[in-house]
Amino acid sequence: MPDSPNRETVALELGPRSYDIVIEAGLLDNIGPALTPLLKNRRVFVVTEETVMHHQGTRLQQALERDKIDSRFFTLNAGEATKSFTHLEPLVSDLLKSGIERNDVIVAFGGGVIGDLAGFAASIVLRGVDFVQVPTTLLAQVDSSVGGKTGINTPEGKNLAGAFYQPKGVFIDTDTLQTLRRRELLAGYAEVVKYGVIDDPVFFAWLEDHGQTMVALDNSPEVEAVRAKAIAHSCRAKARVVAEDELETGRRALLNLGHTFGHALEAECGYGDQLLHGEAVAIGMVMALETSARMGLASHEDCSRLTHHLQSVGLKTAASEIEMTTDADRLLGHMHKDKKVEAGMIGFVLGGIGTAAVHRGVDLEIVRAVLHDSLTTG
Ligand code: NAD
Ligand code: GLY
């Protein structure tokens, strides 16, 4: 597909599983030509949820109709609870009852919840049908739609059942962010900052200059351009890591920066509206840099710089800012249940801005002190 002046295409190189990530303001209104090369049957099975349908559904329906692509929509409840066996089972059943065939394509149209669930459904229906991602949240556009991690939550924990199953394409319309709640935009922004902290200090410095614009509730061309640039940069960063380590045997673990701490906070808050995933990642990244500073792996200045930047856009940076009753030992208990624990040792992504690396065998007394301080003083 040739790039228009406002379109950016990022290639994710994975041999036979390679695909393009297409980023363009307004892409949803013209998605037919983008999808067509991926369709063997001129029909799609769109998995989505109510809120996305309310704000963006008509655009997709009209675009598909205009290009004579037959579509069936499966509209689920919005929210994290939908990413569960309870909702997967009827979804698979409905797809089968609708006559889906191996040559059909599922479209995951929504945020990370729908992307993860629909991707997992695609991996198991008829032993695997093609799917594409049409992400509609900032978090999904810069992270969850790229890289093929699909799955659901189980009563035992988050994302504990799933599959690595790559989409055939990712179609990002940055205009969909115009209807997103500011809180969701901010949460997604934390994942953008993550790429700078991992290994890209130049991008981090650019975000320090442009972060406010990124999360402004304003859809001026200037804001749109900054968002598109940051989204494309984030997708390139993720595509590079996934191309190198698709199944997370090494470098891909760096993408979990802030997540070991963050998941513990999320587990304590019940994975709901009290603390969004990206909000937890923001606090978790500060805890990771604070731990790094106390271990001599980062400067205290890097930790303050990250804290200041996240605060400047309106993100929380300490556990004491969350309304919850917990303590450092309970949070450490959650960390021990993380799926990346190996031989009983928690893997922490630590380092300064641009120098993240995975560390095992970290002194948990330092971690306990960081958790305690974040819970009590911030
Ligand atoms: P989400 O899908 O629940 O979307 C957040 C909220 O925004 C929901 O209320 C949704 O209804 C609403 N929404 C979505 N698009 C909208 C739009 N354009 N306008 C208005 N409202 C809109 O959550 P999320 O933050 O996108 O994703 C979180 C999920 O992603 C978690 O389950 C997390 O585990 C998963 N995740 C997966 C990966 C991965 O690699 N697969 C990476 C990071 C996160
Ligand atoms: N969000 C982390 C990963 O995709 O590996």
Side-chain angles (χ1 to χ4, degrees):
M1 192 167 44
D3 274 4
S4 70
N6 299 321
R7 172 176 294 178
E8 178 136 10
T9 303
V10 176
L12 205 166
E13 304 288 352
L14 279 173
R17 293 182 307 291
S18 298
Y19 54 93
D20 283 345
I21 303 154
V22 183
I23 303 148
E24 184 180 6
L27 178 60
L28 200 54
D29 302 311
N30 193 28
I31 200 159
L35 278 178
T36 297
L38 302 174
L39 305 181
K40 295 182 192 108
N41 298 331
R42 210 158 172 78
R43 63 177 184 180
V44 289
F45 291 70
V46 181
V47 180
T48 186
E49 43 99 321
E50 296 155 327
T51 308
V52 174
M53 271 313 277
H54 172 72
H55 291 291
Q56 304 289 341
T58 309
R59 294 180 62 206
L60 179 60
Q61 279 169 327
Q62 287 180 346
L64 293 171
E65 271 167 32
R66 193 177 339 101
D67 282 302
K68 302 196 171 26
I69 297 173
D70 187 24
S71 62
R72 311 256 163 96
F73 278 67
F74 302 81
T75 306
L76 310 180
N77 298 335
E80 190 70 32
T82 293
K83 236 179 82 173
S84 61
F85 277 120
T86 315
H87 291 84
L88 177 70
E89 200 251 314
L91 171 62
V92 169
S93 183
D94 287 348
L95 287 164
L96 293 170
K97 279 187 210 140
S98 303
I100 191 167
E101 296 173 3
R102 276 232 174 110
N103 279 340
D104 284 317
V105 171
I106 290 176
V107 176
F109 178 46
V113 163
I114 286 299
D116 283 11
L117 176 78
F120 190 34
S123 78
I124 57 174
V125 166
L126 303 174
R127 296 210 176 91
V129 298
D130 288 352
F131 89 111
V132 299
Q133 293 268 14
V134 182
T136 61
T137 64
L138 181 58
L139 184 138
Q141 295 184 351
V142 299
D143 189 358
S144 61
S145 67
V146 174
K149 276 191 186 174
T150 73
I152 55 170
N153 308 321
T154 73
E156 291 72 31
K158 202 166 143 64
N159 296 330
L160 291 184
F164 284 98
Y165 192 68
Q166 299 294 342
K168 294 290 172 191
V170 180
F171 301 101
I172 297 175
D173 178 355
T174 50
D175 279 354
T176 58
L177 303 181
Q178 290 175 7
T179 54
L180 202 58
R181 285 192 301 162
R182 181 176 162 76
R183 195 174 160 206
E184 300 288 353
L185 196 65
L186 277 178
Y189 182 69
E191 300 278 8
V192 176
V193 173
K194 182 184 77 177
Y195 294 111
V197 181
I198 290 174
D199 64 358
D200 196 343
V202 174
F203 185 49
F204 186 85
W206 185 85
L207 290 173
E208 286 179 310
D209 290 340
H210 295 89
Q212 300 286 357
T213 312
M214 231 356 248
V215 297
L217 277 183
D218 154 1
N219 302 312
S220 63
E222 189 212 350
V223 171
E224 289 286 334
V226 165
R227 275 193 200 144
K229 189 169 171 178
I231 290 168
H233 195 93
S234 302
C235 288
R236 274 194 297 275
K238 181 141 188 192
R240 270 195 305 274
V241 174
V242 173
E244 202 180 307
D245 178 23
E246 182 184 6
L247 303 181
E248 198 171 311
T249 54
R251 189 170 169 72
R252 186 164 181 171
L254 295 180
L255 298 176
N256 298 322
L257 172 70
H259 284 57
T260 307
F261 291 99
H263 279 161
L265 296 170
E266 282 184 277
E268 202 59 12
C269 293
Y271 303 107
D273 224 38
Q274 191 184 354
L275 183 69
L276 303 179
H277 175 71
E279 292 171 337
V281 168
I283 298 171
M285 286 194 293
V286 171
M287 287 176 169
L289 261 69
E290 180 60 33
T291 305
S292 307
R294 293 187 192 188
M295 289 172 64
L297 298 168
S299 65
H300 287 281
E301 191 200 335
D302 271 6
C303 188
S304 312
R305 212 175 137 195
L306 173 65
T307 307
H308 176 74
H309 179 57
L310 295 172
Q311 283 173 347
S312 76
V313 295
L315 279 159
K316 296 183 171 102
T317 54
S320 58
E321 295 172 73
I322 311 165
E323 272 187 42
M324 63 175 175
T325 312
T326 188
D327 57 40
D329 284 323
R330 278 183 64 88
L331 293 175
L332 265 176
H334 289 300
M335 289 181 178
H336 276 292
K337 289 189 216 136
D338 194 281
K339 60 181 173 307
K340 282 119 195 165
V341 169
E342 277 177 26
M345 277 198 284
I346 305 169
F348 287 96
V349 183
L350 301 174
I353 292 170
T355 62
V358 178
H359 292 257
R360 291 194 185 275
V362 170
D363 179 353
L364 293 184
E365 285 314 309
I366 296 178
V367 176
R368 193 190 310 275
V370 168
L371 289 169
H372 175 79
D373 292 351
S374 182
L375 281 164
T376 51
T377 53

mmCIF file of all heavy atoms in Angstrom, residues 259-289:
data_model
loop_
_atom_site.group_PDB
_atom_site.id
_atom_site.type_symbol
_atom_site.label_atom_id
_atom_site.label_comp_id
_atom_site.label_asym_id
_atom_site.label_seq_id
_atom_site.Cartn_x
_atom_site.Cartn_y
_atom_site.Cartn_z
ATOM 1 N N HIS A 259 6.518 -2.839 35.066
ATOM 2 C CA HIS A 259 5.348 -3.715 35.120
ATOM 3 C C HIS A 259 5.353 -4.630 36.351
ATOM 4 O O HIS A 259 4.288 -4.981 36.851
ATOM 5 C CB HIS A 259 5.242 -4.553 33.849
ATOM 6 C CG HIS A 259 4.737 -3.768 32.668
ATOM 7 N ND1 HIS A 259 5.354 -2.629 32.210
ATOM 8 C CD2 HIS A 259 3.662 -3.956 31.854
ATOM 9 C CE1 HIS A 259 4.687 -2.155 31.167
ATOM 10 N NE2 HIS A 259 3.660 -2.939 30.932
ATOM 11 N N THR A 260 6.544 -5.054 36.815
ATOM 12 C CA THR A 260 6.576 -5.953 37.971
ATOM 13 C C THR A 260 6.016 -5.210 39.196
ATOM 14 O O THR A 260 5.168 -5.725 39.918
ATOM 15 C CB THR A 260 8.024 -6.427 38.228
ATOM 16 O OG1 THR A 260 8.504 -6.962 36.996
ATOM 17 C CG2 THR A 260 8.085 -7.492 39.297
ATOM 18 N N PHE A 261 6.459 -3.975 39.378
ATOM 19 C CA PHE A 261 5.911 -3.145 40.457
ATOM 20 C C PHE A 261 4.446 -2.803 40.149
ATOM 21 O O PHE A 261 3.587 -2.890 41.014
ATOM 22 C CB PHE A 261 6.707 -1.840 40.573
ATOM 23 C CG PHE A 261 8.110 -2.008 41.084
ATOM 24 C CD1 PHE A 261 9.188 -2.047 40.207
ATOM 25 C CD2 PHE A 261 8.362 -2.115 42.447
ATOM 26 C CE1 PHE A 261 10.489 -2.190 40.679
ATOM 27 C CE2 PHE A 261 9.659 -2.255 42.925
ATOM 28 C CZ PHE A 261 10.728 -2.294 42.040
ATOM 29 N N GLY A 262 4.200 -2.416 38.903
ATOM 30 C CA GLY A 262 2.857 -1.967 38.520
ATOM 31 C C GLY A 262 1.813 -3.061 38.663
ATOM 32 O O GLY A 262 0.707 -2.817 39.164
ATOM 33 N N HIS A 263 2.174 -4.288 38.247
ATOM 34 C CA HIS A 263 1.203 -5.387 38.350
ATOM 35 C C HIS A 263 0.830 -5.656 39.803
ATOM 36 O O HIS A 263 -0.316 -6.007 40.103
ATOM 37 C CB HIS A 263 1.771 -6.667 37.716
ATOM 38 C CG HIS A 263 1.635 -6.693 36.219
ATOM 39 N ND1 HIS A 263 2.378 -7.519 35.418
ATOM 40 C CD2 HIS A 263 0.824 -5.995 35.387
ATOM 41 C CE1 HIS A 263 2.049 -7.320 34.145
ATOM 42 N NE2 HIS A 263 1.106 -6.397 34.106
ATOM 43 N N ALA A 264 1.802 -5.483 40.701
ATOM 44 C CA ALA A 264 1.504 -5.704 42.126
ATOM 45 C C ALA A 264 0.463 -4.679 42.607
ATOM 46 O O ALA A 264 -0.483 -5.016 43.322
ATOM 47 C CB ALA A 264 2.782 -5.601 42.951
ATOM 48 N N LEU A 265 0.618 -3.446 42.152
ATOM 49 C CA LEU A 265 -0.352 -2.400 42.527
ATOM 50 C C LEU A 265 -1.718 -2.702 41.907
ATOM 51 O O LEU A 265 -2.763 -2.571 42.557
ATOM 52 C CB LEU A 265 0.131 -1.024 42.058
ATOM 53 C CG LEU A 265 1.429 -0.512 42.690
ATOM 54 C CD1 LEU A 265 1.929 0.729 41.960
ATOM 55 C CD2 LEU A 265 1.206 -0.197 44.173
ATOM 56 N N GLU A 266 -1.709 -3.138 40.641
ATOM 57 C CA GLU A 266 -2.972 -3.467 39.970
ATOM 58 C C GLU A 266 -3.672 -4.626 40.664
ATOM 59 O O GLU A 266 -4.891 -4.614 40.838
ATOM 60 C CB GLU A 266 -2.711 -3.881 38.512
ATOM 61 C CG GLU A 266 -2.453 -2.748 37.546
ATOM 62 C CD GLU A 266 -2.313 -3.277 36.119
ATOM 63 O OE1 GLU A 266 -1.207 -3.712 35.767
ATOM 64 O OE2 GLU A 266 -3.307 -3.267 35.393
ATOM 65 N N ALA A 267 -2.897 -5.640 41.039
ATOM 66 C CA ALA A 267 -3.484 -6.801 41.710
ATOM 67 C C ALA A 267 -4.159 -6.355 43.006
ATOM 68 O O ALA A 267 -5.259 -6.793 43.345
ATOM 69 C CB ALA A 267 -2.410 -7.840 41.996
ATOM 70 N N GLU A 268 -3.508 -5.443 43.693
ATOM 71 C CA GLU A 268 -4.038 -4.959 44.970
ATOM 72 C C GLU A 268 -5.314 -4.125 44.753
ATOM 73 O O GLU A 268 -6.199 -4.100 45.600
ATOM 74 C CB GLU A 268 -2.940 -4.115 45.640
ATOM 75 C CG GLU A 268 -3.035 -3.951 47.110
ATOM 76 C CD GLU A 268 -3.004 -5.248 47.915
ATOM 77 O OE1 GLU A 268 -2.695 -6.322 47.386
ATOM 78 O OE2 GLU A 268 -3.346 -5.164 49.100
ATOM 79 N N CYS A 269 -5.387 -3.466 43.616
ATOM 80 C CA CYS A 269 -6.539 -2.587 43.328
ATOM 81 C C CYS A 269 -7.637 -3.308 42.548
ATOM 82 O O CYS A 269 -8.652 -2.698 42.205
ATOM 83 C CB CYS A 269 -6.092 -1.355 42.547
ATOM 84 S SG CYS A 269 -5.036 -0.272 43.481
ATOM 85 N N GLY A 270 -7.415 -4.561 42.173
ATOM 86 C CA GLY A 270 -8.481 -5.338 41.528
ATOM 87 C C GLY A 270 -8.642 -5.107 40.046
ATOM 88 O O GLY A 270 -9.695 -5.397 39.492
ATOM 89 N N TYR A 271 -7.626 -4.625 39.354
ATOM 90 C CA TYR A 271 -7.637 -4.476 37.886
ATOM 91 C C TYR A 271 -8.880 -3.731 37.387
ATOM 92 O O TYR A 271 -9.495 -4.142 36.409
ATOM 93 C CB TYR A 271 -7.598 -5.848 37.196
ATOM 94 C CG TYR A 271 -6.418 -6.694 37.599
ATOM 95 C CD1 TYR A 271 -6.585 -7.793 38.433
ATOM 96 C CD2 TYR A 271 -5.148 -6.378 37.163
ATOM 97 C CE1 TYR A 271 -5.495 -8.555 38.826
ATOM 98 C CE2 TYR A 271 -4.060 -7.134 37.552
ATOM 99 C CZ TYR A 271 -4.246 -8.222 38.366
ATOM 100 O OH TYR A 271 -3.184 -8.969 38.750
ATOM 101 N N GLY A 272 -9.244 -2.673 38.047
ATOM 102 C CA GLY A 272 -10.450 -1.955 37.625
ATOM 103 C C GLY A 272 -10.151 -0.478 37.428
ATOM 104 O O GLY A 272 -9.015 -0.086 37.137
ATOM 105 N N ASP A 273 -11.194 0.318 37.623
ATOM 106 C CA ASP A 273 -11.102 1.751 37.382
ATOM 107 C C ASP A 273 -10.271 2.475 38.451
ATOM 108 O O ASP A 273 -9.836 3.598 38.242
ATOM 109 C CB ASP A 273 -12.516 2.328 37.342
ATOM 110 C CG ASP A 273 -12.667 3.298 36.183
ATOM 111 O OD1 ASP A 273 -12.096 3.016 35.104
ATOM 112 O OD2 ASP A 273 -13.325 4.334 36.381
ATOM 113 N N GLN A 274 -10.083 1.807 39.591
ATOM 114 C CA GLN A 274 -9.329 2.465 40.672
ATOM 115 C C GLN A 274 -7.897 2.786 40.221
ATOM 116 O O GLN A 274 -7.337 3.826 40.574
ATOM 117 C CB GLN A 274 -9.283 1.530 41.885
ATOM 118 C CG GLN A 274 -8.756 2.209 43.138
ATOM 119 C CD GLN A 274 -8.635 1.216 44.296
ATOM 120 O OE1 GLN A 274 -9.045 0.058 44.176
ATOM 121 N NE2 GLN A 274 -8.086 1.673 45.397
ATOM 122 N N LEU A 275 -7.331 1.878 39.434
ATOM 123 C CA LEU A 275 -5.965 2.085 38.943
ATOM 124 C C LEU A 275 -5.860 1.458 37.552
ATOM 125 O O LEU A 275 -5.910 0.235 37.412
ATOM 126 C CB LEU A 275 -4.956 1.432 39.896
ATOM 127 C CG LEU A 275 -3.481 1.636 39.546
ATOM 128 C CD1 LEU A 275 -3.067 3.101 39.743
ATOM 129 C CD2 LEU A 275 -2.591 0.734 40.400
ATOM 130 N N LEU A 276 -5.701 2.290 36.535
ATOM 131 C CA LEU A 276 -5.581 1.759 35.169
ATOM 132 C C LEU A 276 -4.175 1.200 34.963
ATOM 133 O O LEU A 276 -3.222 1.601 35.644
ATOM 134 C CB LEU A 276 -5.853 2.871 34.149
ATOM 135 C CG LEU A 276 -7.209 3.579 34.254
ATOM 136 C CD1 LEU A 276 -7.323 4.679 33.191
ATOM 137 C CD2 LEU A 276 -8.356 2.580 34.111
ATOM 138 N N HIS A 277 -4.060 0.285 33.983
ATOM 139 C CA HIS A 277 -2.776 -0.378 33.734
ATOM 140 C C HIS A 277 -1.643 0.648 33.532
ATOM 141 O O HIS A 277 -0.596 0.573 34.176
ATOM 142 C CB HIS A 277 -2.912 -1.308 32.522
ATOM 143 C CG HIS A 277 -1.626 -1.936 32.112
ATOM 144 N ND1 HIS A 277 -1.002 -2.908 32.866
ATOM 145 C CD2 HIS A 277 -0.821 -1.730 31.024
ATOM 146 C CE1 HIS A 277 0.122 -3.274 32.263
ATOM 147 N NE2 HIS A 277 0.246 -2.578 31.141
ATOM 148 N N GLY A 278 -1.865 1.612 32.668
ATOM 149 C CA GLY A 278 -0.815 2.596 32.378
ATOM 150 C C GLY A 278 -0.490 3.447 33.601
ATOM 151 O O GLY A 278 0.672 3.839 33.801
ATOM 152 N N GLU A 279 -1.506 3.732 34.420
ATOM 153 C CA GLU A 279 -1.248 4.494 35.655
ATOM 154 C C GLU A 279 -0.326 3.694 36.571
ATOM 155 O O GLU A 279 0.584 4.238 37.208
ATOM 156 C CB GLU A 279 -2.568 4.788 36.367
ATOM 157 C CG GLU A 279 -3.467 5.755 35.608
ATOM 158 C CD GLU A 279 -4.865 5.893 36.204
ATOM 159 O OE1 GLU A 279 -5.329 4.973 36.923
ATOM 160 O OE2 GLU A 279 -5.514 6.916 35.933
ATOM 161 N N ALA A 280 -0.577 2.378 36.636
ATOM 162 C CA ALA A 280 0.272 1.508 37.468
ATOM 163 C C ALA A 280 1.687 1.450 36.903
ATOM 164 O O ALA A 280 2.669 1.448 37.652
ATOM 165 C CB ALA A 280 -0.337 0.108 37.531
ATOM 166 N N VAL A 281 1.797 1.433 35.575
ATOM 167 C CA VAL A 281 3.124 1.381 34.937
ATOM 168 C C VAL A 281 3.913 2.662 35.257
ATOM 169 O O VAL A 281 5.122 2.609 35.508
ATOM 170 C CB VAL A 281 2.985 1.164 33.414
ATOM 171 C CG1 VAL A 281 4.300 1.404 32.681
ATOM 172 C CG2 VAL A 281 2.475 -0.245 33.128
ATOM 173 N N ALA A 282 3.231 3.802 35.280
ATOM 174 C CA ALA A 282 3.919 5.070 35.588
ATOM 175 C C ALA A 282 4.538 4.999 36.985
ATOM 176 O O ALA A 282 5.728 5.285 37.174
ATOM 177 C CB ALA A 282 2.933 6.241 35.483
ATOM 178 N N ILE A 283 3.737 4.592 37.965
ATOM 179 C CA ILE A 283 4.256 4.489 39.342
ATOM 180 C C ILE A 283 5.338 3.407 39.398
ATOM 181 O O ILE A 283 6.384 3.576 40.037
ATOM 182 C CB ILE A 283 3.111 4.177 40.335
ATOM 183 C CG1 ILE A 283 2.081 5.312 40.317
ATOM 184 C CG2 ILE A 283 3.655 3.968 41.749
ATOM 185 C CD1 ILE A 283 0.805 5.021 41.101
ATOM 186 N N GLY A 284 5.090 2.307 38.682
ATOM 187 C CA GLY A 284 6.052 1.202 38.673
ATOM 188 C C GLY A 284 7.402 1.611 38.084
ATOM 189 O O GLY A 284 8.453 1.173 38.555
ATOM 190 N N MET A 285 7.377 2.454 37.047
ATOM 191 C CA MET A 285 8.653 2.894 36.452
ATOM 192 C C MET A 285 9.438 3.747 37.449
ATOM 193 O O MET A 285 10.662 3.637 37.545
ATOM 194 C CB MET A 285 8.396 3.701 35.170
ATOM 195 C CG MET A 285 7.977 2.837 33.995
ATOM 196 S SD MET A 285 8.078 3.703 32.414
ATOM 197 C CE MET A 285 6.815 4.959 32.570
ATOM 198 N N VAL A 286 8.711 4.600 38.195
ATOM 199 C CA VAL A 286 9.406 5.420 39.199
ATOM 200 C C VAL A 286 10.016 4.511 40.269
ATOM 201 O O VAL A 286 11.172 4.692 40.685
ATOM 202 C CB VAL A 286 8.440 6.459 39.821
ATOM 203 C CG1 VAL A 286 9.075 7.166 41.011
ATOM 204 C CG2 VAL A 286 8.012 7.471 38.762
ATOM 205 N N MET A 287 9.260 3.498 40.692
ATOM 206 C CA MET A 287 9.794 2.562 41.696
ATOM 207 C C MET A 287 11.018 1.826 41.142
ATOM 208 O O MET A 287 11.990 1.591 41.858
ATOM 209 C CB MET A 287 8.729 1.528 42.075
ATOM 210 C CG MET A 287 7.604 2.076 42.932
ATOM 211 S SD MET A 287 6.390 0.755 43.184
ATOM 212 C CE MET A 287 5.355 1.476 44.446
ATOM 213 N N ALA A 288 10.974 1.457 39.859
ATOM 214 C CA ALA A 288 12.105 0.739 39.245
ATOM 215 C C ALA A 288 13.344 1.635 39.216
ATOM 216 O O ALA A 288 14.452 1.188 39.518
ATOM 217 C CB ALA A 288 11.735 0.284 37.835
ATOM 218 N N LEU A 289 13.149 2.918 38.880
ATOM 219 C CA LEU A 289 14.321 3.808 38.836
ATOM 220 C C LEU A 289 14.831 4.134 40.237
ATOM 221 O O LEU A 289 16.037 4.294 40.453
ATOM 222 C CB LEU A 289 14.035 5.083 38.024
ATOM 223 C CG LEU A 289 14.593 4.966 36.591
ATOM 224 C CD1 LEU A 289 13.830 3.946 35.764
ATOM 225 C CD2 LEU A 289 14.666 6.301 35.891
#
